[in-house]
Amino acid sequence: MTAQERVERAASALKVFPLPSAVLFPHTVIPLHIFEPRYRALVRDALAGDRVMALSQLEPGWEGRYEGRPPMLPMMCAGIIIWDEQVEEGRYNILLQGVSRVRMGSELSNDKLYREVSAEALPDLPYQGPEEEQLRQAVFELAGRVPPSFAENLLPVAARAAGGTLADVVASALVPEPERRQELLSELDVKRRLEGVLEDVGELIARLQPVRPSGPLN
């Protein structure tokens, strides 16, 4: 069974971790430290089953209501726990690999500590267009303006990725603001998503000076 099929099978009762500070994209990995009792229970149940869970953002105005069940934004990213370790006091460190956008249909009533929703998986449609090469070229230009260690990690990924995956991996690496990341996660049109990420990268290039080479020059 593919990762996409695992997410689609789990979508009728998808475990959700609302985390206002983080937005996960498909085809990327995020490290999480799980310490709240309700989310320790979520991870424990996920590890005992299909290892699928989703990250979500909360609707604006959630501040002060996080301990309850404030409304969640409908567009989420579901992923698979690809690594885990249990540490002191039943806490977990995990790596969650994004697999697919999902759109929440409704929240399920349950007797569990954590939240579950019914959702629809929304894999990207295949896409080829000039925006792909434009974004790759922008990433290559940006590589001359960021530390070499960062560029070395991003360039091979950008060179291999295509379509919506290219937009997602570049956005994950270069867009820090959760609100903007959520906007890009919510964009289902691959062409518009590539254009949006290209605009973000262009703005970043404009703010950065080229990195001067270190060491002796020939």
Side-chain angles (χ1 to χ4, degrees), residues 76-113:
M76 310 173 180
C77 181
I80 293 175
I81 301 171
I82 58 171
W83 176 86
D84 67 277
E85 69 170 354
Q86 189 168 1
V87 292
E88 69 281 352
E89 300 177 356
R91 301 181 180 195
Y92 290 92
N93 293 321
I94 65 172
L95 293 178
L96 183 64
Q97 183 171 47
V99 173
S100 178
R101 288 168 171 78
V102 297
R103 182 189 289 120
M104 178 178 65
S106 60
E107 184 162 358
L108 305 179
S109 299
N110 60 35
D111 57 358
K112 299 171 183 175
L113 294 175

PDB file of all heavy atoms in Angstrom, residues 76-113:
ATOM      1  N   MET A  76      -5.616  20.844   5.614  1.00  0.00           N
ATOM      2  CA  MET A  76      -4.584  20.282   6.480  1.00  0.00           C
ATOM      3  C   MET A  76      -3.618  19.476   5.625  1.00  0.00           C
ATOM      4  O   MET A  76      -3.847  19.261   4.433  1.00  0.00           O
ATOM      5  CB  MET A  76      -5.201  19.359   7.537  1.00  0.00           C
ATOM      6  CG  MET A  76      -6.357  19.925   8.296  1.00  0.00           C
ATOM      7  SD  MET A  76      -7.113  18.668   9.374  1.00  0.00           S
ATOM      8  CE  MET A  76      -8.432  19.641  10.115  1.00  0.00           C
ATOM      9  N   CYS A  77      -2.549  19.011   6.247  1.00  0.00           N
ATOM     10  CA  CYS A  77      -1.644  18.071   5.596  1.00  0.00           C
ATOM     11  C   CYS A  77      -1.573  16.809   6.444  1.00  0.00           C
ATOM     12  O   CYS A  77      -1.281  16.874   7.647  1.00  0.00           O
ATOM     13  CB  CYS A  77      -0.251  18.663   5.419  1.00  0.00           C
ATOM     14  SG  CYS A  77       0.901  17.538   4.578  1.00  0.00           S
ATOM     15  N   ALA A  78      -1.880  15.686   5.832  1.00  0.00           N
ATOM     16  CA  ALA A  78      -1.787  14.398   6.518  1.00  0.00           C
ATOM     17  C   ALA A  78      -0.464  13.738   6.163  1.00  0.00           C
ATOM     18  O   ALA A  78       0.029  13.846   5.036  1.00  0.00           O
ATOM     19  CB  ALA A  78      -2.945  13.492   6.108  1.00  0.00           C
ATOM     20  N   GLY A  79       0.112  13.077   7.137  1.00  0.00           N
ATOM     21  CA  GLY A  79       1.397  12.437   6.916  1.00  0.00           C
ATOM     22  C   GLY A  79       1.520  11.134   7.678  1.00  0.00           C
ATOM     23  O   GLY A  79       0.579  10.680   8.333  1.00  0.00           O
ATOM     24  N   ILE A  80       2.691  10.555   7.592  1.00  0.00           N
ATOM     25  CA  ILE A  80       2.987   9.271   8.216  1.00  0.00           C
ATOM     26  C   ILE A  80       4.177   9.449   9.149  1.00  0.00           C
ATOM     27  O   ILE A  80       5.175  10.093   8.789  1.00  0.00           O
ATOM     28  CB  ILE A  80       3.289   8.204   7.151  1.00  0.00           C
ATOM     29  CG1 ILE A  80       2.017   7.906   6.338  1.00  0.00           C
ATOM     30  CG2 ILE A  80       3.824   6.924   7.783  1.00  0.00           C
ATOM     31  CD1 ILE A  80       2.227   6.951   5.187  1.00  0.00           C
ATOM     32  N   ILE A  81       4.076   8.908  10.336  1.00  0.00           N
ATOM     33  CA  ILE A  81       5.184   8.932  11.287  1.00  0.00           C
ATOM     34  C   ILE A  81       6.247   7.949  10.786  1.00  0.00           C
ATOM     35  O   ILE A  81       6.021   6.742  10.759  1.00  0.00           O
ATOM     36  CB  ILE A  81       4.719   8.553  12.700  1.00  0.00           C
ATOM     37  CG1 ILE A  81       3.623   9.523  13.186  1.00  0.00           C
ATOM     38  CG2 ILE A  81       5.901   8.551  13.678  1.00  0.00           C
ATOM     39  CD1 ILE A  81       2.954   9.093  14.479  1.00  0.00           C
ATOM     40  N   ILE A  82       7.392   8.480  10.359  1.00  0.00           N
ATOM     41  CA  ILE A  82       8.424   7.618   9.777  1.00  0.00           C
ATOM     42  C   ILE A  82       9.512   7.252  10.778  1.00  0.00           C
ATOM     43  O   ILE A  82      10.341   6.380  10.500  1.00  0.00           O
ATOM     44  CB  ILE A  82       9.058   8.278   8.536  1.00  0.00           C
ATOM     45  CG1 ILE A  82       9.678   9.637   8.901  1.00  0.00           C
ATOM     46  CG2 ILE A  82       8.033   8.431   7.429  1.00  0.00           C
ATOM     47  CD1 ILE A  82      10.506  10.241   7.767  1.00  0.00           C
ATOM     48  N   TRP A  83       9.516   7.922  11.933  1.00  0.00           N
ATOM     49  CA  TRP A  83      10.482   7.598  12.988  1.00  0.00           C
ATOM     50  C   TRP A  83       9.900   8.051  14.309  1.00  0.00           C
ATOM     51  O   TRP A  83       9.203   9.066  14.373  1.00  0.00           O
ATOM     52  CB  TRP A  83      11.816   8.302  12.734  1.00  0.00           C
ATOM     53  CG  TRP A  83      12.828   8.097  13.824  1.00  0.00           C
ATOM     54  CD1 TRP A  83      13.704   7.064  13.972  1.00  0.00           C
ATOM     55  CD2 TRP A  83      13.055   8.968  14.948  1.00  0.00           C
ATOM     56  NE1 TRP A  83      14.458   7.233  15.112  1.00  0.00           N
ATOM     57  CE2 TRP A  83      14.082   8.397  15.719  1.00  0.00           C
ATOM     58  CE3 TRP A  83      12.479  10.168  15.357  1.00  0.00           C
ATOM     59  CZ2 TRP A  83      14.557   8.985  16.892  1.00  0.00           C
ATOM     60  CZ3 TRP A  83      12.948  10.770  16.529  1.00  0.00           C
ATOM     61  CH2 TRP A  83      13.980  10.174  17.277  1.00  0.00           C
ATOM     62  N   ASP A  84      10.175   7.305  15.357  1.00  0.00           N
ATOM     63  CA  ASP A  84       9.658   7.680  16.680  1.00  0.00           C
ATOM     64  C   ASP A  84      10.578   7.158  17.757  1.00  0.00           C
ATOM     65  O   ASP A  84      11.275   6.146  17.595  1.00  0.00           O
ATOM     66  CB  ASP A  84       8.241   7.126  16.878  1.00  0.00           C
ATOM     67  CG  ASP A  84       8.210   5.610  16.944  1.00  0.00           C
ATOM     68  OD1 ASP A  84       8.195   4.979  15.869  1.00  0.00           O
ATOM     69  OD2 ASP A  84       8.210   5.042  18.057  1.00  0.00           O
ATOM     70  N   GLU A  85      10.570   7.867  18.873  1.00  0.00           N
ATOM     71  CA  GLU A  85      11.199   7.371  20.091  1.00  0.00           C
ATOM     72  C   GLU A  85      10.384   7.870  21.271  1.00  0.00           C
ATOM     73  O   GLU A  85       9.910   9.004  21.275  1.00  0.00           O
ATOM     74  CB  GLU A  85      12.652   7.822  20.211  1.00  0.00           C
ATOM     75  CG  GLU A  85      12.846   9.301  20.454  1.00  0.00           C
ATOM     76  CD  GLU A  85      14.286   9.665  20.799  1.00  0.00           C
ATOM     77  OE1 GLU A  85      15.114   8.738  20.950  1.00  0.00           O
ATOM     78  OE2 GLU A  85      14.583  10.875  20.922  1.00  0.00           O
ATOM     79  N   GLN A  86      10.212   7.005  22.251  1.00  0.00           N
ATOM     80  CA  GLN A  86       9.520   7.409  23.468  1.00  0.00           C
ATOM     81  C   GLN A  86      10.567   7.806  24.484  1.00  0.00           C
ATOM     82  O   GLN A  86      11.558   7.093  24.698  1.00  0.00           O
ATOM     83  CB  GLN A  86       8.644   6.280  24.005  1.00  0.00           C
ATOM     84  CG  GLN A  86       7.739   6.729  25.147  1.00  0.00           C
ATOM     85  CD  GLN A  86       6.678   5.694  25.491  1.00  0.00           C
ATOM     86  OE1 GLN A  86       6.627   4.629  24.895  1.00  0.00           O
ATOM     87  NE2 GLN A  86       5.825   6.010  26.454  1.00  0.00           N
ATOM     88  N   VAL A  87      10.370   8.953  25.107  1.00  0.00           N
ATOM     89  CA  VAL A  87      11.340   9.472  26.061  1.00  0.00           C
ATOM     90  C   VAL A  87      10.680   9.566  27.432  1.00  0.00           C
ATOM     91  O   VAL A  87       9.649   8.941  27.687  1.00  0.00           O
ATOM     92  CB  VAL A  87      11.907  10.830  25.574  1.00  0.00           C
ATOM     93  CG1 VAL A  87      12.752  10.622  24.328  1.00  0.00           C
ATOM     94  CG2 VAL A  87      10.802  11.834  25.274  1.00  0.00           C
ATOM     95  N   GLU A  88      11.266  10.345  28.324  1.00  0.00           N
ATOM     96  CA  GLU A  88      10.809  10.377  29.714  1.00  0.00           C
ATOM     97  C   GLU A  88       9.353  10.827  29.824  1.00  0.00           C
ATOM     98  O   GLU A  88       8.868  11.604  29.016  1.00  0.00           O
ATOM     99  CB  GLU A  88      11.715  11.301  30.539  1.00  0.00           C
ATOM    100  CG  GLU A  88      11.600  12.789  30.221  1.00  0.00           C
ATOM    101  CD  GLU A  88      12.366  13.182  28.960  1.00  0.00           C
ATOM    102  OE1 GLU A  88      13.097  12.334  28.422  1.00  0.00           O
ATOM    103  OE2 GLU A  88      12.210  14.344  28.525  1.00  0.00           O
ATOM    104  N   GLU A  89       8.675  10.279  30.816  1.00  0.00           N
ATOM    105  CA  GLU A  89       7.297  10.645  31.154  1.00  0.00           C
ATOM    106  C   GLU A  89       6.323  10.372  30.015  1.00  0.00           C
ATOM    107  O   GLU A  89       5.305  11.047  29.886  1.00  0.00           O
ATOM    108  CB  GLU A  89       7.224  12.115  31.576  1.00  0.00           C
ATOM    109  CG  GLU A  89       8.079  12.434  32.802  1.00  0.00           C
ATOM    110  CD  GLU A  89       8.051  13.909  33.156  1.00  0.00           C
ATOM    111  OE1 GLU A  89       7.420  14.680  32.400  1.00  0.00           O
ATOM    112  OE2 GLU A  89       8.652  14.280  34.169  1.00  0.00           O
ATOM    113  N   GLY A  90       6.612   9.393  29.177  1.00  0.00           N
ATOM    114  CA  GLY A  90       5.693   9.025  28.118  1.00  0.00           C
ATOM    115  C   GLY A  90       5.642   9.983  26.946  1.00  0.00           C
ATOM    116  O   GLY A  90       4.764   9.864  26.090  1.00  0.00           O
ATOM    117  N   ARG A  91       6.596  10.902  26.876  1.00  0.00           N
ATOM    118  CA  ARG A  91       6.637  11.830  25.754  1.00  0.00           C
ATOM    119  C   ARG A  91       7.230  11.129  24.529  1.00  0.00           C
ATOM    120  O   ARG A  91       7.856  10.081  24.626  1.00  0.00           O
ATOM    121  CB  ARG A  91       7.462  13.062  26.111  1.00  0.00           C
ATOM    122  CG  ARG A  91       6.915  13.812  27.324  1.00  0.00           C
ATOM    123  CD  ARG A  91       7.740  15.036  27.641  1.00  0.00           C
ATOM    124  NE  ARG A  91       7.229  15.754  28.806  1.00  0.00           N
ATOM    125  CZ  ARG A  91       7.578  16.984  29.131  1.00  0.00           C
ATOM    126  NH1 ARG A  91       8.442  17.653  28.384  1.00  0.00           N
ATOM    127  NH2 ARG A  91       7.068  17.563  30.205  1.00  0.00           N
ATOM    128  N   TYR A  92       7.029  11.774  23.368  1.00  0.00           N
ATOM    129  CA  TYR A  92       7.542  11.205  22.124  1.00  0.00           C
ATOM    130  C   TYR A  92       8.313  12.262  21.342  1.00  0.00           C
ATOM    131  O   TYR A  92       7.942  13.442  21.325  1.00  0.00           O
ATOM    132  CB  TYR A  92       6.405  10.715  21.218  1.00  0.00           C
ATOM    133  CG  TYR A  92       5.662   9.499  21.703  1.00  0.00           C
ATOM    134  CD1 TYR A  92       4.519   9.646  22.481  1.00  0.00           C
ATOM    135  CD2 TYR A  92       6.089   8.217  21.382  1.00  0.00           C
ATOM    136  CE1 TYR A  92       3.810   8.532  22.916  1.00  0.00           C
ATOM    137  CE2 TYR A  92       5.386   7.097  21.808  1.00  0.00           C
ATOM    138  CZ  TYR A  92       4.259   7.268  22.578  1.00  0.00           C
ATOM    139  OH  TYR A  92       3.559   6.159  23.016  1.00  0.00           O
ATOM    140  N   ASN A  93       9.349  11.813  20.668  1.00  0.00           N
ATOM    141  CA  ASN A  93       9.944  12.549  19.561  1.00  0.00           C
ATOM    142  C   ASN A  93       9.597  11.781  18.296  1.00  0.00           C
ATOM    143  O   ASN A  93       9.781  10.563  18.228  1.00  0.00           O
ATOM    144  CB  ASN A  93      11.461  12.646  19.709  1.00  0.00           C
ATOM    145  CG  ASN A  93      11.866  13.502  20.884  1.00  0.00           C
ATOM    146  OD1 ASN A  93      11.246  14.530  21.163  1.00  0.00           O
ATOM    147  ND2 ASN A  93      12.918  13.100  21.589  1.00  0.00           N
ATOM    148  N   ILE A  94       9.088  12.501  17.300  1.00  0.00           N
ATOM    149  CA  ILE A  94       8.710  11.824  16.056  1.00  0.00           C
ATOM    150  C   ILE A  94       9.165  12.645  14.861  1.00  0.00           C
ATOM    151  O   ILE A  94       9.418  13.855  14.968  1.00  0.00           O
ATOM    152  CB  ILE A  94       7.185  11.581  15.958  1.00  0.00           C
ATOM    153  CG1 ILE A  94       6.408  12.907  15.877  1.00  0.00           C
ATOM    154  CG2 ILE A  94       6.686  10.735  17.116  1.00  0.00           C
ATOM    155  CD1 ILE A  94       4.922  12.740  15.582  1.00  0.00           C
ATOM    156  N   LEU A  95       9.267  11.989  13.720  1.00  0.00           N
ATOM    157  CA  LEU A  95       9.398  12.643  12.427  1.00  0.00           C
ATOM    158  C   LEU A  95       8.136  12.325  11.642  1.00  0.00           C
ATOM    159  O   LEU A  95       7.800  11.156  11.441  1.00  0.00           O
ATOM    160  CB  LEU A  95      10.626  12.139  11.672  1.00  0.00           C
ATOM    161  CG  LEU A  95      11.991  12.493  12.257  1.00  0.00           C
ATOM    162  CD1 LEU A  95      13.103  11.874  11.404  1.00  0.00           C
ATOM    163  CD2 LEU A  95      12.184  14.001  12.359  1.00  0.00           C
ATOM    164  N   LEU A  96       7.447  13.374  11.219  1.00  0.00           N
ATOM    165  CA  LEU A  96       6.214  13.221  10.456  1.00  0.00           C
ATOM    166  C   LEU A  96       6.479  13.633   9.015  1.00  0.00           C
ATOM    167  O   LEU A  96       6.876  14.777   8.748  1.00  0.00           O
ATOM    168  CB  LEU A  96       5.108  14.091  11.056  1.00  0.00           C
ATOM    169  CG  LEU A  96       3.725  13.987  10.411  1.00  0.00           C
ATOM    170  CD1 LEU A  96       3.138  12.587  10.575  1.00  0.00           C
ATOM    171  CD2 LEU A  96       2.771  15.033  10.999  1.00  0.00           C
ATOM    172  N   GLN A  97       6.276  12.713   8.098  1.00  0.00           N
ATOM    173  CA  GLN A  97       6.488  12.983   6.677  1.00  0.00           C
ATOM    174  C   GLN A  97       5.159  13.314   6.015  1.00  0.00           C
ATOM    175  O   GLN A  97       4.237  12.494   6.008  1.00  0.00           O
ATOM    176  CB  GLN A  97       7.129  11.791   5.982  1.00  0.00           C
ATOM    177  CG  GLN A  97       7.450  12.044   4.516  1.00  0.00           C
ATOM    178  CD  GLN A  97       8.285  10.941   3.912  1.00  0.00           C
ATOM    179  OE1 GLN A  97       7.999   9.772   4.089  1.00  0.00           O
ATOM    180  NE2 GLN A  97       9.350  11.326   3.221  1.00  0.00           N
ATOM    181  N   GLY A  98       5.061  14.523   5.453  1.00  0.00           N
ATOM    182  CA  GLY A  98       3.835  14.920   4.786  1.00  0.00           C
ATOM    183  C   GLY A  98       3.578  14.080   3.554  1.00  0.00           C
ATOM    184  O   GLY A  98       4.501  13.753   2.800  1.00  0.00           O
ATOM    185  N   VAL A  99       2.323  13.719   3.327  1.00  0.00           N
ATOM    186  CA  VAL A  99       1.941  12.882   2.196  1.00  0.00           C
ATOM    187  C   VAL A  99       0.958  13.596   1.284  1.00  0.00           C
ATOM    188  O   VAL A  99       1.139  13.640   0.070  1.00  0.00           O
ATOM    189  CB  VAL A  99       1.340  11.546   2.678  1.00  0.00           C
ATOM    190  CG1 VAL A  99       0.782  10.740   1.500  1.00  0.00           C
ATOM    191  CG2 VAL A  99       2.373  10.731   3.443  1.00  0.00           C
ATOM    192  N   SER A 100      -0.102  14.180   1.849  1.00  0.00           N
ATOM    193  CA  SER A 100      -1.167  14.708   1.005  1.00  0.00           C
ATOM    194  C   SER A 100      -1.921  15.827   1.706  1.00  0.00           C
ATOM    195  O   SER A 100      -2.126  15.785   2.929  1.00  0.00           O
ATOM    196  CB  SER A 100      -2.151  13.586   0.655  1.00  0.00           C
ATOM    197  OG  SER A 100      -3.237  14.065  -0.124  1.00  0.00           O
ATOM    198  N   ARG A 101      -2.339  16.815   0.924  1.00  0.00           N
ATOM    199  CA  ARG A 101      -3.331  17.749   1.433  1.00  0.00           C
ATOM    200  C   ARG A 101      -4.632  16.996   1.692  1.00  0.00           C
ATOM    201  O   ARG A 101      -4.989  16.087   0.936  1.00  0.00           O
ATOM    202  CB  ARG A 101      -3.590  18.851   0.408  1.00  0.00           C
ATOM    203  CG  ARG A 101      -2.463  19.848   0.269  1.00  0.00           C
ATOM    204  CD  ARG A 101      -2.643  20.737  -0.941  1.00  0.00           C
ATOM    205  NE  ARG A 101      -1.662  21.819  -0.917  1.00  0.00           N
ATOM    206  CZ  ARG A 101      -0.384  21.680  -1.270  1.00  0.00           C
ATOM    207  NH1 ARG A 101       0.072  20.498  -1.710  1.00  0.00           N
ATOM    208  NH2 ARG A 101       0.459  22.704  -1.212  1.00  0.00           N
ATOM    209  N   VAL A 102      -5.326  17.411   2.718  1.00  0.00           N
ATOM    210  CA  VAL A 102      -6.656  16.868   2.990  1.00  0.00           C
ATOM    211  C   VAL A 102      -7.561  18.027   3.375  1.00  0.00           C
ATOM    212  O   VAL A 102      -7.123  19.009   3.971  1.00  0.00           O
ATOM    213  CB  VAL A 102      -6.647  15.800   4.109  1.00  0.00           C
ATOM    214  CG1 VAL A 102      -5.825  14.584   3.719  1.00  0.00           C
ATOM    215  CG2 VAL A 102      -6.142  16.365   5.428  1.00  0.00           C
ATOM    216  N   ARG A 103      -8.821  17.901   3.012  1.00  0.00           N
ATOM    217  CA  ARG A 103      -9.813  18.909   3.395  1.00  0.00           C
ATOM    218  C   ARG A 103     -10.784  18.300   4.390  1.00  0.00           C
ATOM    219  O   ARG A 103     -11.417  17.276   4.122  1.00  0.00           O
ATOM    220  CB  ARG A 103     -10.582  19.417   2.180  1.00  0.00           C
ATOM    221  CG  ARG A 103     -11.603  20.513   2.534  1.00  0.00           C
ATOM    222  CD  ARG A 103     -12.489  20.846   1.367  1.00  0.00           C
ATOM    223  NE  ARG A 103     -11.789  21.569   0.319  1.00  0.00           N
ATOM    224  CZ  ARG A 103     -11.649  21.148  -0.936  1.00  0.00           C
ATOM    225  NH1 ARG A 103     -12.164  19.963  -1.299  1.00  0.00           N
ATOM    226  NH2 ARG A 103     -11.026  21.870  -1.830  1.00  0.00           N
ATOM    227  N   MET A 104     -10.870  18.930   5.544  1.00  0.00           N
ATOM    228  CA  MET A 104     -11.766  18.447   6.587  1.00  0.00           C
ATOM    229  C   MET A 104     -13.212  18.576   6.156  1.00  0.00           C
ATOM    230  O   MET A 104     -13.633  19.628   5.638  1.00  0.00           O
ATOM    231  CB  MET A 104     -11.533  19.236   7.878  1.00  0.00           C
ATOM    232  CG  MET A 104     -12.460  18.853   9.024  1.00  0.00           C
ATOM    233  SD  MET A 104     -12.114  19.773  10.552  1.00  0.00           S
ATOM    234  CE  MET A 104     -12.523  21.451  10.049  1.00  0.00           C
ATOM    235  N   GLY A 105     -13.981  17.508   6.371  1.00  0.00           N
ATOM    236  CA  GLY A 105     -15.410  17.576   6.156  1.00  0.00           C
ATOM    237  C   GLY A 105     -16.126  17.967   7.431  1.00  0.00           C
ATOM    238  O   GLY A 105     -16.795  18.992   7.506  1.00  0.00           O
ATOM    239  N   SER A 106     -15.959  17.174   8.468  1.00  0.00           N
ATOM    240  CA  SER A 106     -16.580  17.464   9.761  1.00  0.00           C
ATOM    241  C   SER A 106     -15.749  16.834  10.855  1.00  0.00           C
ATOM    242  O   SER A 106     -15.007  15.866  10.631  1.00  0.00           O
ATOM    243  CB  SER A 106     -18.009  16.920   9.815  1.00  0.00           C
ATOM    244  OG  SER A 106     -18.016  15.506   9.631  1.00  0.00           O
ATOM    245  N   GLU A 107     -15.850  17.411  12.030  1.00  0.00           N
ATOM    246  CA  GLU A 107     -15.161  16.829  13.182  1.00  0.00           C
ATOM    247  C   GLU A 107     -16.023  15.721  13.764  1.00  0.00           C
ATOM    248  O   GLU A 107     -17.252  15.857  13.863  1.00  0.00           O
ATOM    249  CB  GLU A 107     -14.853  17.886  14.226  1.00  0.00           C
ATOM    250  CG  GLU A 107     -14.045  17.339  15.399  1.00  0.00           C
ATOM    251  CD  GLU A 107     -13.359  18.401  16.234  1.00  0.00           C
ATOM    252  OE1 GLU A 107     -13.479  19.608  15.880  1.00  0.00           O
ATOM    253  OE2 GLU A 107     -12.709  18.036  17.220  1.00  0.00           O
ATOM    254  N   LEU A 108     -15.391  14.631  14.156  1.00  0.00           N
ATOM    255  CA  LEU A 108     -16.099  13.477  14.684  1.00  0.00           C
ATOM    256  C   LEU A 108     -16.250  13.587  16.188  1.00  0.00           C
ATOM    257  O   LEU A 108     -15.366  14.083  16.887  1.00  0.00           O
ATOM    258  CB  LEU A 108     -15.344  12.192  14.330  1.00  0.00           C
ATOM    259  CG  LEU A 108     -15.039  11.966  12.842  1.00  0.00           C
ATOM    260  CD1 LEU A 108     -14.262  10.678  12.656  1.00  0.00           C
ATOM    261  CD2 LEU A 108     -16.326  11.954  12.016  1.00  0.00           C
ATOM    262  N   SER A 109     -17.368  13.124  16.683  1.00  0.00           N
ATOM    263  CA  SER A 109     -17.562  13.024  18.129  1.00  0.00           C
ATOM    264  C   SER A 109     -16.943  11.707  18.594  1.00  0.00           C
ATOM    265  O   SER A 109     -17.189  10.650  18.010  1.00  0.00           O
ATOM    266  CB  SER A 109     -19.047  13.054  18.475  1.00  0.00           C
ATOM    267  OG  SER A 109     -19.637  14.268  18.063  1.00  0.00           O
ATOM    268  N   ASN A 110     -16.107  11.784  19.611  1.00  0.00           N
ATOM    269  CA  ASN A 110     -15.499  10.562  20.138  1.00  0.00           C
ATOM    270  C   ASN A 110     -15.234  10.733  21.623  1.00  0.00           C
ATOM    271  O   ASN A 110     -15.412  11.814  22.189  1.00  0.00           O
ATOM    272  CB  ASN A 110     -14.209  10.218  19.380  1.00  0.00           C
ATOM    273  CG  ASN A 110     -13.156  11.309  19.486  1.00  0.00           C
ATOM    274  OD1 ASN A 110     -13.038  11.969  20.518  1.00  0.00           O
ATOM    275  ND2 ASN A 110     -12.370  11.493  18.434  1.00  0.00           N
ATOM    276  N   ASP A 111     -14.823   9.660  22.253  1.00  0.00           N
ATOM    277  CA  ASP A 111     -14.514   9.705  23.678  1.00  0.00           C
ATOM    278  C   ASP A 111     -13.013   9.718  23.909  1.00  0.00           C
ATOM    279  O   ASP A 111     -12.540   9.389  24.992  1.00  0.00           O
ATOM    280  CB  ASP A 111     -15.156   8.512  24.396  1.00  0.00           C
ATOM    281  CG  ASP A 111     -14.716   7.176  23.804  1.00  0.00           C
ATOM    282  OD1 ASP A 111     -13.935   7.177  22.817  1.00  0.00           O
ATOM    283  OD2 ASP A 111     -15.145   6.135  24.333  1.00  0.00           O
ATOM    284  N   LYS A 112     -12.262  10.124  22.882  1.00  0.00           N
ATOM    285  CA  LYS A 112     -10.810  10.157  22.989  1.00  0.00           C
ATOM    286  C   LYS A 112     -10.344  11.535  23.451  1.00  0.00           C
ATOM    287  O   LYS A 112     -11.075  12.516  23.362  1.00  0.00           O
ATOM    288  CB  LYS A 112     -10.183   9.806  21.633  1.00  0.00           C
ATOM    289  CG  LYS A 112     -10.566   8.413  21.159  1.00  0.00           C
ATOM    290  CD  LYS A 112     -10.111   8.168  19.725  1.00  0.00           C
ATOM    291  CE  LYS A 112     -10.580   6.796  19.247  1.00  0.00           C
ATOM    292  NZ  LYS A 112     -10.271   6.549  17.807  1.00  0.00           N
ATOM    293  N   LEU A 113      -9.111  11.597  23.933  1.00  0.00           N
ATOM    294  CA  LEU A 113      -8.560  12.866  24.379  1.00  0.00           C
ATOM    295  C   LEU A 113      -8.293  13.808  23.221  1.00  0.00           C
ATOM    296  O   LEU A 113      -8.346  15.024  23.366  1.00  0.00           O
ATOM    297  CB  LEU A 113      -7.251  12.632  25.152  1.00  0.00           C
ATOM    298  CG  LEU A 113      -7.356  11.892  26.481  1.00  0.00           C
ATOM    299  CD1 LEU A 113      -5.960  11.631  27.045  1.00  0.00           C
ATOM    300  CD2 LEU A 113      -8.193  12.700  27.475  1.00  0.00           C
TER     301      LEU A 113
END
